[in-house]
Amino acid sequence: MKTVAIWTVVAVVGAVCWGVLAIARGETISALWLLFAALCSYAIAYRFYSRFITYKVLRADDKRATPAERLENGRDFDVTDRRVLFGHHFAAIAGAGPLVGPVLAAQMGYLPGTIWIVVGVIFAGAVQDLTVMFFSMRRNGKSLGQMIREEIGLVGGIAALIAVFAIMIIILAVLALIVVNALAESPWGVWSIGLTIPIALFMGVYLRRLRPGRVLEATGIGVALLLLAIVSGGWIEDSGLGETLTLSKEWLVLALVVYGFVASVLPVWLLLTPRDYLSTFMKIGVIVLLAVSLIIARPVLQAEAVTDFAREGTGPVFAGSLFPFVFITIACGALSGFHALISSGTTPKMVAKESQVRLIGYGGMLMESFVAVSALIAACVIDQGLYFAMNSPAGATGGTVESAATFVQGLGFDTSAQDLAAASAAVQEETLISRTGGAPALAVGLAQVFSQAFGGGGQAFWYHFAIMFEALFILTAVDAGTRVGRFMLQDTIGNVWKKFGDLSWRPGNIIASAVVVGLWGSVLYIGVTDPLGGVNQLFPLFGIANQLLAAIALTLCTVLLVKHGKLRYAWVTGIPLVWDLVVTMTASWQKVFSGDPRVGYFTQAGVYRDAQNAGEVLAPAQDQGQMDQVIFNSTLNGILQSVFALLTLVVAAHAAVIIAKAIRANGLPTTEEPAVPSKIVEPAGLFPTAEEKRAIAEHERLVGAGSGRSEAEEK
Amino acid sequence: MTAALTRAWEGVRWYLKEFTGEARWDDYVAHCTEHGHTPMSRYEFERARTDAAEKNPISRCC
């Protein structure tokens, strides 16, 4: 009875928040309505929908031993406390994506983005993470690619493998592009991010030599040094070093490529692992800080609910109309295919009890969605003239405060050149005009929310604090991604050339690392030098690629549901799959075939080629060299876009054949491991229920305390 | 009140030690004591753990 009352209250609060958002037109409203609408929706979805999927659709069975219990080896297979694994999984899935996408999508207003983030995560993103994790867990933690090869077929498997690798390269390049845009011409940013390298090296040596294993100590020292690095950036800027550290985008690309290569061949303990500790603690700290400050500061939304750009598709941040482009600009936070790589493989090998995938898979993704909503709020509470001046490419704003003010006034904002100059002075940056990529705009939003919440100004500190934390975990993702890409490459080529697949063969490591870094480095360079603006051009490619990967993952899940004879529940992954295919294929079609040169890559290339043949130079290109560049980049982007879409269609077509077969046969055999009885008793959710407490006490009385763990360890 | 605070502090400490993997060493020592083995040095133990991480790259998403 009490629970019914609680859930009724949650439902009513959620409904009221959504109602306020729906009715509010032309008046400013508090951002907290957005926050609580999201939180109440998550609570209800977790309580009811995830429960339905876990127990009715997937039939998680706690009497079955998980791979962690059966194959425990203390390394990759390791029974891990559900709360700890939740933290690990969340740290692995959430990065810069849920922060950046929503900031860019804010050009269409706060409502489309919020609705997609909340509805998308509940019915698509969290469902994907949960089901992939469950199916991988039932197969001893096999990877997404392996499962596709075994369950759909070799051709589908190869298509998926190529897609995963190519998509990873694009993702790394776009992430690196965001860092470059945030650090270019910013000596403060370059100084504090640069210092993270010696700090991480110091922590690495500390953990290896000085005090082995004392991770908390080392991380505490590291975080303190990191804060010092941020503060000291303010002094550096005014000193003689400021000039030296003002780096152009091209130099930053070179620095990142060299760094990425060195980091991926160095032993992990020296750089990657300590940097990861730093970035994880910073990440969780900032997210908690942001949630608290939003509630203290209660900022007011400056953005409109739905802007004209949503209706007309003429937005300067990225081109294209609301459908399909809001849905691909916001990938992480609503539906991210990349999560399928982490939900298969790493995490499922550590789950203690089957039912815990609900908390870790579905719950972890809801948490990421919450981060996305917070980022969207941060972008919508800043002055919207400033927002567009920051996020529109230099070709549109002209690059100076005067031209940018004219530009945003043309969009209908009354932001003056003095306002724009004051905004950059407040955060002690040379300029904020056309600082695209989302990270700087988010940092301005966070600085505003934090200084509003805690008082005392300090906008410049908070701005660089936010830039530092975004750059820190983007760099961690780039390090880790390069290494994962290197392993994939070595593994794949190892099938035909055995020696190359040997991970301890140094030349193989170096060649594979160089190839991976070279690939994302070239895409990064293309993006950075693109006259039309790299973010504007590449971000759609990134979003579509990520969601095509989601389509592949959801296809696998749907195939497995049908193969397991659960046709009547196939809609659970089938509906998000169809939706995702419609969105990504429409977007791909428009990016490839649209006659609008701002949207269609080939039309864009064609317009510039015609102009070139006529001997003209089209703005924003400034000379024939830049004309060539636009033509080359747009053609390349168009080709990549088509290849990704075709690969996904190959997987989907193969899957359709298998599904048809399985429907006729009323299910097909799968590679699921046979059930083995479990000896571990543990709660399913975050907090144990009264019944679970009784069961644990009973179990401990019968077999002695902590039996699950020590028994597994004896093997 | 103090008891609740102590418990909360213990909880946070437990979580952080588990989360960072520091607790693995305590588990190992406890395991050795229980079975009467002499544990290896912490240096050797952590070294083996980090070397295993070399072949098992962490994935970090966007």
Side-chain angles (χ1 to χ4, degrees):
Chain A
M1 209 42 229
K2 207 173 106 196
T3 42
V4 175
I6 292 174
W7 287 105
T8 313
V9 171
V10 173
V12 169
V13 172
V16 168
C17 292
W18 281 116
V20 169
L21 291 176
I23 299 166
R25 282 288 177 278
E27 65 223 83
T28 50
I29 61 164
S30 164
L32 291 190
W33 294 108
L34 274 185
L35 203 65
F36 282 98
L39 286 175
C40 292
S41 310
Y42 297 154
I44 291 173
Y46 183 77
R47 169 64 181 74
F48 298 99
Y49 193 46
S50 75
R51 185 190 174 91
F52 165 76
I53 298 175
T54 312
Y55 294 104
K56 278 272 187 313
V57 179
L58 300 173
R59 301 217 174 183
D61 180 1
D62 281 342
K63 292 198 279 297
R64 276 172 94 120
T66 58
E69 182 182 355
R70 282 185 286 114
L71 307 171
E72 167 109 43
N73 61 9
R75 287 189 294 274
D76 47 346
F77 290 97
D78 197 5
V79 176
T80 305
D81 182 274
R82 65 199 184 285
R83 293 156 293 190
V84 174
L85 188 55
F86 177 87
H88 283 172
H89 183 72
F90 175 71
I93 59 172
L99 295 173
V100 169
V103 172
L104 301 181
Q107 82 158 337
M108 297 201 169
Y110 61 80
L111 207 49
T114 308
I115 294 177
W116 165 235
I117 293 171
V118 174
V119 176
V121 76
I122 289 173
F123 293 105
V127 176
Q128 172 205 260
D129 290 17
L130 167 64
T131 43
V132 169
M133 191 183 290
F134 178 83
F135 285 129
S136 172
M137 178 179 70
R138 281 278 175 97
R139 286 160 183 74
N140 288 349
K142 279 188 187 140
S143 70
L144 183 75
Q146 257 175 315
M147 287 195 284
I148 291 173
R149 197 160 56 233
E150 289 170 5
E151 304 285 359
I152 298 180
L154 187 62
V155 178
I158 292 174
L161 188 72
I162 300 172
V164 168
F165 185 74
I167 288 167
M168 203 144 92
I169 298 294
I170 296 292
I171 289 178
L172 292 178
V174 172
L175 288 177
L177 178 63
I178 293 167
V179 173
V180 168
N181 283 359
L183 296 187
E185 316 295 337
S186 168
W188 187 336
V190 170
W191 166 260
S192 35
I193 288 299
L195 277 184
T196 63
I197 299 172
I199 293 173
L201 291 174
F202 167 74
M203 285 172 64
V205 174
Y206 188 92
L207 285 170
R208 183 85 167 180
R209 302 265 167 210
L210 301 177
R211 306 256 300 154
R214 267 71 164 200
V215 182
L216 286 175
E217 250 173 56
T219 311
I221 299 174
V223 169
L225 289 174
L226 211 58
L227 293 176
L228 188 65
I230 302 174
V231 176
S232 61
W235 314 326
I236 288 302
E237 199 171 38
D238 307 322
S239 76
L241 262 177
E243 277 299 291
T244 331
L245 290 174
T246 307
L247 297 180
S248 70
K249 291 184 175 179
E250 286 79 0
W251 277 107
L252 281 167
V253 171
L254 188 68
L256 268 181
V257 165
V258 171
Y259 167 77
F261 175 74
V262 173
S264 85
V265 290
L266 280 182
V268 284
W269 62 264
L270 188 56
L271 189 58
L272 186 59
T273 311
R275 179 193 271 288
D276 191 52
Y277 287 130
L278 276 184
S279 106
T280 304
F281 278 98
M282 287 285 283
K283 188 188 304 183
I284 292 172
V286 172
I287 289 167
V288 172
L289 198 63
L290 176 59
V292 172
S293 340
L294 280 176
I295 290 172
I296 299 177
R298 294 191 314 266
V300 169
L301 295 168
Q302 301 293 331
E304 284 177 74
V306 184
T307 62
D308 290 338
F309 302 131
R311 287 181 279 269
E312 292 153 16
T314 50
V317 182
F318 60 92
S321 49
L322 189 139
F323 181 86
F325 288 101
V326 158
F327 306 102
I328 57 151
T329 305
I330 303 179
C332 311
L335 169 61
S336 169
F338 222 75
H339 292 189
L341 302 183
I342 293 157
S343 298
S344 63
T346 321
T347 308
K349 291 180 185 160
M350 303 169 83
V351 181
K353 300 300 296 178
E354 286 204 342
S355 57
Q356 291 172 356
V357 291
R358 177 183 172 204
L359 170 70
I360 298 160
Y362 200 94
M365 181 61 192
L366 287 183
M367 184 98 152
E368 182 182 277
S369 180
F370 173 74
V371 175
V373 170
S374 309
L376 186 89
I377 291 176
C380 289
V381 298
I382 63 176
D383 175 68
Q384 292 300 292
L386 175 62
Y387 169 87
F388 281 101
M390 290 185 75
N391 287 301
S392 307
T397 60
T400 65
V401 281
E402 289 78 20
S403 58
T406 317
F407 169 72
V408 295
Q409 281 159 10
L411 297 177
F413 300 100
D414 50 12
T415 309
S416 66
Q418 287 86 338
D419 295 338
L420 293 176
S424 55
V427 296
Q428 293 184 29
E429 280 289 278
E430 192 61 41
T431 173
L432 287 179
I433 308 305
S434 291
R435 298 294 295 274
T436 57
L442 177 70
V444 168
L446 292 184
Q448 186 180 319
V449 173
F450 286 159
S451 51
Q452 216 175 326
F454 304 116
Q459 292 235 11
F461 171 80
W462 286 121
Y463 174 87
H464 288 96
F465 175 79
I467 290 286
M468 146 77 96
F469 112 99
E470 289 172 84
L472 187 61
F473 58 64
I474 287 183
L475 288 182
T476 313
V478 168
D479 288 1
T482 304
R483 200 174 276 264
V484 171
R486 179 192 118 194
F487 279 35
M488 268 163 78
L489 196 65
Q490 283 182 280
D491 189 45
T492 310
I493 296 178
N495 287 327
V496 280
W497 176 22
K498 251 217 137 50
K499 184 89 190 152
F500 200 73
D502 175 9
L503 291 178
S504 52
W505 188 50
R506 205 92 184 120
N509 294 347
I510 290 174
I511 296 168
S513 296
V515 171
V516 173
V517 172
L519 284 172
W520 66 251
S522 354
V523 180
L524 171 63
Y525 184 78
I526 288 172
V528 160
T529 54
D530 196 315
L532 300 180
V535 171
N536 187 313
Q537 292 291 89
L538 285 179
F539 205 83
L541 194 61
F542 160 73
I544 297 175
N546 196 353
Q547 296 216 342
L548 285 172
L549 194 53
I552 294 177
L554 285 167
T555 303
L556 172 75
C557 294
T558 313
V559 167
L560 282 173
L561 283 176
V562 179
K563 274 185 150 186
H564 281 291
K566 293 173 182 166
L567 180 62
R568 66 195 182 106
Y569 291 128
W571 57 267
V572 169
T573 54
I575 290 176
L577 169 62
V578 170
W579 162 258
D580 187 36
L581 280 175
V582 169
V583 167
T584 49
M585 289 303 152
T586 313
S588 305
W589 181 269
Q590 292 190 5
K591 293 308 282 182
V592 174
F593 296 109
S594 171
D596 180 347
R598 279 171 304 117
V599 177
Y601 286 126
F602 290 119
T603 310
Q604 193 172 57
V607 168
Y608 279 82
R609 199 176 297 115
D610 291 344
Q612 199 178 39
N613 290 340
E616 295 164 29
V617 174
L618 270 190
Q622 280 161 1
D623 50 46
Q624 287 300 338
Q626 292 202 335
M627 295 288 286
D628 285 333
Q629 231 177 337
V630 172
I631 296 167
F632 174 81
N633 294 358
S634 303
T635 311
L636 179 73
N637 292 345
I639 293 172
L640 285 173
Q641 183 71 75
S642 328
V643 170
F644 291 159
L646 286 176
L647 286 171
T648 309
L649 287 178
V650 167
V651 178
H654 274 251
V657 176
I658 305 283
I659 289 179
K661 260 192 214 160
I663 291 177
R664 252 180 278 130
N666 239 330
L668 284 175
T670 78
T671 56
E672 185 172 282
E673 294 290 322
V676 172
S678 170
K679 291 179 188 157
I680 302 178
V681 180
E682 264 210 40
L686 204 52
F687 304 103
T689 61
E691 200 184 323
E692 284 170 341
K693 277 186 189 155
R694 269 199 303 278
I696 292 168
E698 177 70 9
H699 181 75
E700 284 183 0
R701 195 176 60 78
L702 287 173
V703 276
S707 61
R709 258 213 90 76
S710 54
E711 261 181 30
E713 271 172 11
E714 270 167 50
K715 278 175 209 156
Chain B
M1 185 62 195
T2 347
L5 276 179
T6 320
R7 269 190 47 153
W9 171 241
E10 283 305 313
V12 170
R13 248 177 67 93
W14 169 85
Y15 190 84
L16 289 176
K17 288 190 97 173
E18 288 286 334
F19 186 78
T20 53
E22 260 194 71
R24 283 293 101 86
W25 166 252
D26 303 336
D27 293 348
Y28 170 72
V29 173
H31 178 83
C32 288
T33 322
E34 193 187 322
H35 295 269
H37 306 314
T38 323
M40 59 173 117
S41 74
R42 180 141 196 193
Y43 176 77
E44 286 170 303
F45 179 81
E46 298 294 346
R47 200 175 170 106
R49 262 170 55 78
T50 43
D51 288 346
E54 194 70 43
K55 291 198 183 70
N56 220 344
I58 43 162
S59 312
R60 285 289 176 263
C61 185
C62 26

